Amino acid sequence: MWDFSIRNFEGAWALVIQLLLILVFLFLGNVLRRAVPFLRKAYVPSALLGGLLLLLLNILLKNAFHVQIPGMSDEGIIDQQVMQVVTYHSLAIGFIAMTLKITKKDKQKDGTGLKAFQNGALTGATYMLQAIFGILTVLIFYWAGKEIFYDAGIILPLSFGQGPGNALTWDINFTAAGNMDTNGSFGLSLASIGFIVASVVGVIYINVHRKSGALVRENIDMSRHLEEFIDDNEIQDNESIDKMSVQVALVALAYAITFGMMCALSFSNFTINIAWGFNFIFGVISATLVKLVVKFLTKKNIVHRRYINNYQMDRISGFAFDIMIIAGVAAIEINDIKGYILPIIILSIVGTIVTYLYVRLITKFAFKGYEHEMFLTNFGTLTGTASNGMILLREVDPSYQTPASNIFVVSQFPAMIMVAPLLLLLDFSSKSIVNTFISIGVFTLLFAAYTAFIIVSVKKSKKQSK
């Protein structure tokens, strides 16, 4: 007979307690954000605050009171492995839900299609720039005699550009290969700093340009309308199965296909790290396939109702990214990064500076008339997550009157293609220091190519408009 009492804590309650901690501290983070005006005005994510609160509480209980939960080998209330698992899977689930959304047909007038490719190139070039400067920064520490993996700097674009999920995965991969001993905390620390950078620098930028008169806050009615929550011909809420359950089932179906894809690729030693290290990319592919099948069945009149609800898919992706952030921050083990504090700080400073300067220069050159909106969207995304970028954009363009939001959404697919070479070279770059320098060369060429594309295409479109 199965035992659900405290005597079987590890089997019946351990996972549930960790999930409860994530959700309770997510709520407490939001309470703190609402209670402290500075945090609210700085747009610091509630999930980041909740994660920091949980991390600090765990450090206190572990070191001051030596609290230990039954069934856990270490002291404290955080099971680092569970938090890492939640972070890993939440990344893919969030991307799947975003991809499953039905996009309305857009003729992309006024050059939106070209602008989307330019913005995709901006994203790709920034990743390459972060990788180049990240690796070179760590190599300086490596040559100076610091005990650090020579290729650890490649985690910078994963942390700043993609958030905790992929940074955690590749930090653990490097740890498993014997190159690092940080068990994911190096990448998670960089990602956490990235969230703060996105919020603080973004708010400073907004205030500076408002004072100069370059940005004017528009006053609009932010009330919600029914069409934002439901579209024509959707399944009703009073069906035999709840509409939200259908959305979750579709996400689960796509993730099941993702798992099958990764299993198929894991039989080769060459592809095993690629397979399990990029669950979010395979998630995007799987979600696209599911969406295409649904579209085909609808076109053939086999499916007569619309099953995908964009609003609820937004909520699923938002929830997934929230718990990814809080679990990722809580999973940081301070003891694992004691010897890496200085490299983490320097990497964060270097990453912030190069990202700010490049994104500012390109948005000012390529997106005249809405350069500030494009800067905030891209800088927030390329140091934090897409959520940070959209929060900053809503502050200066709440009704999306500029093309910034549309360009950003359409640019995600070309951006993913342009970032792919960096992701594919992650394993290769870590094999030897020679491979690392080869990778730097490739990243430099790609950075130059993407930047050249932006410059040439912008100048060409200007000539055509004249």
Side-chain angles (χ1 to χ4, degrees), residues 191-220:
S192 299
I193 293 172
F195 291 127
I196 297 172
V197 167
S199 300
V200 174
V201 176
V203 169
I204 292 173
Y205 182 94
I206 290 172
N207 289 328
V208 168
H209 286 86
R210 275 186 180 162
K211 287 181 180 179
S212 68
L215 280 172
V216 179
R217 180 72 155 92
E218 58 174 309
N219 295 315
I220 62 167

Side-chain angles (χ1 to χ4, degrees), residues 111-124:
T112 300
L114 176 60
K115 290 297 180 184
F117 272 94
Q118 290 169 351
N119 199 64
L122 165 60
T123 301

Side-chain angles (χ1 to χ4, degrees), residues 104-308:
K104 295 180 179 179
K105 290 183 179 180
D106 187 356
K107 295 180 181 180
Q108 296 182 5
K109 296 179 180 179
D110 302 323
T112 300
L114 176 60
K115 290 297 180 184
F117 272 94
Q118 290 169 351
N119 199 64
L122 165 60
T123 301
T126 306
Y127 268 72
M128 303 305 158
L129 197 63
Q130 290 174 344
I132 294 165
F133 277 88
I135 295 172
L136 291 176
T137 300
V138 168
L139 281 173
I140 292 172
F141 283 99
Y142 176 76
W143 288 325
K146 178 76 175 178
E147 290 187 8
I148 188 170
F149 179 42
Y150 53 80
D151 197 35
I154 204 169
I155 295 178
L156 177 62
L158 305 182
S159 302
F160 271 34
Q162 295 187 330
N166 220 14
L168 166 70
T169 301
W170 281 92
D171 190 333
I172 290 177
N173 285 347
F174 291 158
T175 300
N179 297 319
M180 299 178 71
D181 57 359
T182 50
N183 297 300
S185 294
F186 184 89
L188 292 175
S189 299
L190 280 172
S192 299
I193 293 172
F195 291 127
I196 297 172
V197 167
S199 300
V200 174
V201 176
V203 169
I204 292 173
Y205 182 94
I206 290 172
N207 289 328
V208 168
H209 286 86
R210 275 186 180 162
K211 287 181 180 179
S212 68
L215 280 172
V216 179
R217 180 72 155 92
E218 58 174 309
N219 295 315
I220 62 167
D221 179 16
M222 295 299 289
S223 59
R224 311 301 296 272
H225 304 285
L226 181 62
E227 56 268 21
E228 296 181 54
F229 303 95
I230 186 171
D231 288 298
D232 294 335
N233 202 36
E234 276 193 10
I235 56 173
Q236 300 300 311
D237 288 319
N238 58 359
E239 295 280 347
S240 59
I241 182 173
D242 189 85
K243 187 188 293 186
M244 186 66 180
S245 301
V246 174
Q247 314 308 307
V248 173
L250 287 168
V251 172
L253 173 62
Y255 204 17
I257 297 171
T258 300
F259 179 74
M261 288 181 176
M262 294 189 295
C263 284
L265 282 172
S266 64
F267 292 107
S268 166
N269 290 330
F270 175 74
T271 58
I272 188 167
N273 281 339
I274 294 175
W276 301 103
F278 300 117
N279 63 335
F280 71 100
I281 289 182
F282 292 106
V284 170
I285 296 171
S286 300
T288 302
L289 291 174
V290 170
K291 192 161 66 169
L292 288 173
V293 169
V294 171
K295 185 178 180 180
F296 174 79
L297 294 176
T298 303
K299 189 176 181 179
K300 295 297 182 181
N301 281 327
I302 298 173
V303 172
H304 303 286
R305 306 296 296 275
R306 182 166 157 178
Y307 284 83
I308 297 175

Side-chain angles (χ1 to χ4, degrees), residues 117-118 120-132 154 358 362 414-426 428 437-455:
F117 272 94
Q118 290 169 351
L122 165 60
T123 301
T126 306
Y127 268 72
M128 303 305 158
L129 197 63
Q130 290 174 344
I132 294 165
I154 204 169
Y358 184 73
I362 295 300
M416 189 171 66
I417 294 174
M418 294 181 189
V419 170
L422 184 148
L423 302 178
L424 294 173
L425 284 172
L426 287 172
F428 170 82
F437 277 103
I438 293 173
S439 298
I440 290 175
V442 174
F443 299 151
T444 303
L445 289 174
L446 288 171
F447 169 76
Y450 296 158
T451 304
F453 164 74
I454 296 171
I455 294 171

